[in-house]
Amino acid sequence: MTDAETGFDRRMLEALICPQTQTTLRYDAEKQELISKSAGLAFPIRNGIPIMLVDEARQLD
């Protein structure tokens, strides 16, 4: 999937921070997630919309 297909704007990543640690996020295009290494969480992107809720995030291995 390309960014155009998902509707996710990579420029939006610059404005988003982890809601738990207030640190920057890394975009994983393959899994369609925003990764917070400091919190050990992966926030899903659904229909091009980042879901920035800790309750919705996946724990990183």
Side-chain angles (χ1 to χ4, degrees), residues 20-60:
Q20 188 170 10
T21 63
Q22 310 302 307
T23 57
T24 57
L25 300 165
R26 181 179 57 83
Y27 175 49
D28 184 334
E30 184 177 310
K31 293 184 178 178
Q32 285 300 293
E33 295 177 325
L34 294 174
I35 308 297
S36 172
K37 274 189 103 169
S38 58
L41 298 172
F43 297 92
I45 299 171
R46 297 185 189 128
N47 299 319
I49 300 169
I51 310 300
M52 302 304 297
L53 301 171
V54 174
D55 291 346
E56 295 285 325
R58 174 179 68 82
Q59 289 284 342
L60 296 176

Side-chain angles (χ1 to χ4, degrees), residues 1-10 27 29 32:
M1 260 192 230
T2 66
D3 292 344
E5 291 171 344
T6 63
F8 181 68
D9 184 351
R10 282 180 174 227
Y27 175 49
Q32 285 300 293

